[in-house]
Amino acid sequence: SNIIYLRPHHVLCLRFYRGEGYSSTFNEGMAAIARSLSCGEAIVRITSGVDDICKNCPRACDGVCLDEEKSARYDKLTARIADLKQNDTFTWADLQARLNKTVFTGDQFSQSAAIVHGLIYATAYKNHRQTQNTAFVYKTFDIKTKSRA
């Protein structure tokens, strides 16, 4: 199988992806990754830094994310909620099962976390940039998540 490298927060981005992104090139790349995973043609390896989704992102330059601080914060938060570690390898189905147990559970907090994360990305993609409003929502989400334990 082919390996698709994903940073933790992109696992949730793919789950919520609806065909709108930064550019047509980005959308084509994201759709190809989503198709490959949903058809079982590839496996996911969790990574840090720029991943296979980032390759078509206008915010990535020469293998470096121009928003790395923010992205790393999203990764840390997602990894903690979903119990993902560097170099973990999953089939897409197994990864979705993991998300269903850790993020999309009947627990109201986990459900809220997933919804908020999805809204952040939907808004960011729709506006083609991170807005102050979505940054505020994420900051609020991060504060609530830290008090989860």
Side-chain angles (χ1 to χ4, degrees), residues 12-13 29 34 37 44 51 61 67 70 94 103 107 122 126 132:
L12 290 182
C13 291
L37 290 171
V44 173
D51 66 6
C61 183
D67 298 316
K70 175 187 71 180
D94 288 345
V103 179
D107 172 86
K126 185 176 179 183
Q132 287 182 341

Side-chain angles (χ1 to χ4, degrees), residues 78-124:
T78 305
R80 185 170 69 234
I81 294 170
D83 190 26
L84 299 173
K85 294 172 184 57
Q86 176 84 9
N87 293 319
D88 279 354
T89 303
F90 303 91
T91 64
W92 186 241
D94 288 345
L95 184 53
Q96 294 311 299
R98 165 77 60 96
L99 294 177
N100 289 340
K101 288 179 184 175
T102 58
V103 179
F104 302 98
T105 67
D107 172 86
Q108 189 58 45
F109 179 81
S110 293
Q111 197 75 300
S112 299
I115 291 166
V116 170
H117 195 94
L119 289 173
I120 288 163
Y121 282 94
T123 302

Side-chain angles (χ1 to χ4, degrees), residues 4-135:
I4 294 178
Y5 292 88
L6 294 177
R7 55 190 315 158
H9 82 267
H10 281 163
V11 170
L12 290 182
C13 291
L14 272 168
R15 178 117 172 197
F16 289 106
Y17 183 67
R18 297 292 178 264
E20 293 182 15
Y22 297 103
S23 66
S24 59
T25 302
F26 176 84
N27 291 340
E28 290 164 12
M30 188 79 151
I33 289 171
R35 271 193 310 274
S36 183
L37 290 171
S38 65
C39 293
E41 298 170 356
I43 58 173
V44 173
R45 179 157 300 145
I46 303 300
T47 191
S48 60
V50 173
D51 66 6
D52 289 338
I53 287 177
C54 300
K55 289 179 182 176
N56 294 310
C57 178
R59 300 295 301 155
C61 183
D62 295 327
V64 176
C65 177
L66 300 177
D67 298 316
E68 184 57 36
E69 184 180 328
K70 175 187 71 180
S71 294
R73 195 169 61 246
Y74 292 170
D75 287 339
K76 184 177 179 182
L77 182 57
T78 305
R80 185 170 69 234
I81 294 170
D83 190 26
L84 299 173
K85 294 172 184 57
Q86 176 84 9
N87 293 319
D88 279 354
T89 303
F90 303 91
T91 64
W92 186 241
D94 288 345
L95 184 53
Q96 294 311 299
R98 165 77 60 96
L99 294 177
N100 289 340
K101 288 179 184 175
T102 58
V103 179
F104 302 98
T105 67
D107 172 86
Q108 189 58 45
F109 179 81
S110 293
Q111 197 75 300
S112 299
I115 291 166
V116 170
H117 195 94
L119 289 173
I120 288 163
Y121 282 94
T123 302
Y125 288 162
K126 185 176 179 183
N127 295 335
H128 302 286
R129 61 183 171 79
Q130 192 70 25
T131 65
Q132 287 182 341
N133 186 46
T134 53

